[in-house]
Amino acid sequence: MWHLTLQEKKAYENAMRLFIDESDEDWIQSLADAKENDIDLYKEKKQELDVLRDSLMNDLPLRFQPYVLDGTLNTLEVPKHVRKEFLRWRNEQEQLFENILDAAYEEKQKTLAYMKSKAREVFEQSLHDAKVVSIRCTATQVVLTLDMAGGFTAKSIIYLTFNNIKSELGQVVPEQFYIYDELRKTANGFALRVILIAQR
């Protein structure tokens, strides 16, 4: 069983992107800070909501959507019970997301024990933010070349070579970024699932 989908990842990120002051006191302090810096906080909050509106309408529970549409969800005008409920919902989403990542990490760690040392070394480090430079395919092999300049490893280039592939879903193309992976042991080898996006 895989743990995380791209849709779930995007929904989580969108939920976290909207900043909401947690109390009236926090909001009043934000207003005072904005005034001191000659910033129209209401205008800024409206612009923030406008930018996020489409993704919020797709990802938020229905009960919050009227407050996105009327422009109050991230302001002092939102009813206190709605603010409290939204913050509770967002905290729950954060906890669920962390649980998913923890489960995927544990499975990956178990799987690494079965891998040869060179493969294990690659997957012990994060391939996050690697850029797909090229894909070379033959009848029995696929080789991905990853540029690690923006990644989290000391290596500059990594070649992932897949032999005896049993199945393949989705499409990998150059210029995509490697943002997440899951690895698990199968009866006959390993399964790797990667989330790639077109741009960073």
Side-chain angles (χ1 to χ4, degrees), residues 37-66:
N37 292 296
D38 200 29
I39 295 170
D40 183 340
L41 190 57
Y42 281 98
K43 182 178 179 182
E44 197 173 81
K45 292 288 185 183
K46 182 184 182 311
Q47 288 172 341
E48 180 184 4
L49 209 52
D50 286 345
V51 167
L52 298 175
R53 178 170 280 113
D54 289 346
S55 60
L56 291 172
M57 293 300 287
N58 285 330
D59 299 326
L60 286 185
L62 289 174
R63 65 187 182 274
F64 301 125
Q65 292 184 12

Side-chain angles (χ1 to χ4, degrees), residues 2-16:
W2 297 117
H3 298 280
L4 183 68
T5 66
L6 180 57
Q7 291 74 24
E8 289 168 333
K9 187 176 190 308
K10 284 182 175 177
Y12 165 78
E13 289 171 347
N14 287 331
M16 296 302 117

Side-chain angles (χ1 to χ4, degrees), residues 176-194:
Q176 288 179 320
F177 287 87
Y178 190 116
I179 60 167
Y180 176 81
D181 65 14
E182 292 184 20
L183 189 63
R184 62 186 168 109
K185 181 79 176 75
T186 64
N188 302 316
F190 303 96
L192 173 67
R193 181 169 174 269
V194 178

Side-chain angles (χ1 to χ4, degrees), residues 35-125:
K35 185 175 182 181
E36 188 177 311
N37 292 296
D38 200 29
I39 295 170
D40 183 340
L41 190 57
Y42 281 98
K43 182 178 179 182
E44 197 173 81
K45 292 288 185 183
K46 182 184 182 311
Q47 288 172 341
E48 180 184 4
L49 209 52
D50 286 345
V51 167
L52 298 175
R53 178 170 280 113
D54 289 346
S55 60
L56 291 172
M57 293 300 287
N58 285 330
D59 299 326
L60 286 185
L62 289 174
R63 65 187 182 274
F64 301 125
Q65 292 184 12
Y67 306 99
V68 173
L69 293 173
D70 71 10
T72 62
L73 183 59
N74 61 342
T75 72
L76 186 60
E77 280 66 42
V78 73
K80 287 182 185 179
H81 74 278
V82 173
R83 178 197 304 149
K84 187 175 180 181
E85 195 176 340
F86 177 80
L87 291 169
R88 187 181 74 234
W89 171 81
R90 193 171 65 178
N91 288 338
E92 288 169 0
Q93 297 308 301
E94 188 169 18
Q95 189 58 57
L96 284 171
F97 190 74
E98 287 175 10
N99 291 345
I100 287 170
L101 295 184
D102 288 346
Y105 177 80
E106 284 178 26
E107 186 156 7
K108 186 176 188 178
Q109 293 308 304
K110 289 177 189 173
T111 303
L112 289 173
Y114 295 96
M115 299 183 87
K116 293 180 180 177
S117 59
K118 284 188 178 180
R120 186 169 55 246
E121 183 184 347
V122 167
F123 286 104
E124 280 175 338
Q125 300 180 38

Side-chain angles (χ1 to χ4, degrees), residues 139-158:
T140 59
Q141 188 181 76
V142 174
V143 180
L144 292 182
T145 304
L146 303 177
D147 180 348
M148 300 305 301
F152 296 87
T153 175
K155 295 175 174 57
S156 56
I157 297 287
I158 288 179

